[in-house]
Amino acid sequence: MTQDELKTLVGQAALEYVVPGEIVGVGTGSTVNKFIDALAAMKDRIPGAVSSSNASTERLRALGIPVFDSNEVGEIAVYIDGADEIDGRGHMVKGGGAALTREKIVAAQSRRFVCIADESKRVEVLGAFPVPVEVIPMAVQRIVRQFAALGGSAAVRLRDGQPLITDNGQQILDVTGLRIKDPLRFESDVNQWPGVVTVGVFAHQKAAVCLLGTAAGVQTLTY
Ligand code: 5RP
């Protein structure tokens, strides 16, 4: 099976976790796009979604799925999102699509995080994928130096030769050279650095379930 087919498989499998009658939290990315497309088949059974990005909001609305502001709703039953890496305890690196801050906000508002990913995302130790960090532009160079002191190398993410601007009007640093053995501590520490909006390590908002697309089918991992 191709990676795209594995994404379709887990996107469809995630429908089982959507609670009829309840608003669903929706992440961002190519795997989530498969989930959104599948969700259209049960749109009459849910009030709608809370979305983690302008891109997902657009896709949901185009399929006739109502999108609510996170402040309009209380606790969300389930949040479905992809990952760039997931370890054996459900800790993730996220933000390859630059939506990490809103993803973490919706995940924090949700009872259960269901991660959908193809098997290439499963790792032993987080950090081989460059860790995204959303930052306030005036703090960029100081944060680059702080990562250098940890052995990491941080670069501003570019789009068309210019710094990429997130849905929140901020920039993204991608950090290579890290091996994150204690994701809870790493997330807590980096989130304290002045100018960091969100670090793309999801340990405090880890997955409860991962639907992993493999050549043998969907593997359900629980944490
Ligand atoms: C976006 C994310 C995505 O969930 C992550 O990048 C995985 O994306 P894809 O499903 O396209 O591989 O965190 O900010």
Side-chain angles (χ1 to χ4, degrees), residues 3 7 27-33 81-85 93-100 103 116-118 121 129 132 157 202:
Q3 192 182 29
K7 289 180 182 192
T28 300
S30 57
T31 316
V32 165
N33 284 345
D81 199 358
D84 299 302
E85 288 185 335
V93 167
K94 293 183 45 52
L100 62 160
E103 290 173 344
I116 50 176
D118 65 84
K121 308 295 183 65
F129 186 91
R157 193 181 298 181
F202 283 53

Side-chain angles (χ1 to χ4, degrees), residues 90-102:
H91 303 140
M92 295 164 286
V93 167
K94 293 183 45 52
L100 62 160
T101 298
R102 294 188 188 192

Side-chain angles (χ1 to χ4, degrees), residues 201-212:
V201 168
F202 283 53
H204 291 280
Q205 270 75 44
K206 70 173 195 163
V209 177
C210 177
L211 303 176
L212 197 70

Side-chain angles (χ1 to χ4, degrees), residues 14-25 35 39 42 45-48 76-80 111-112 114:
L15 288 185
E16 268 188 45
Y17 290 80
V18 176
V19 182
E22 297 250 11
I23 288 170
V24 60
F35 167 66
L39 187 64
M42 64 176 288
R45 290 198 279 147
I46 56 165
I76 298 165
V78 64
Y79 176 64
I80 314 265
R111 275 200 295 282
R112 203 173 188 206
V114 176

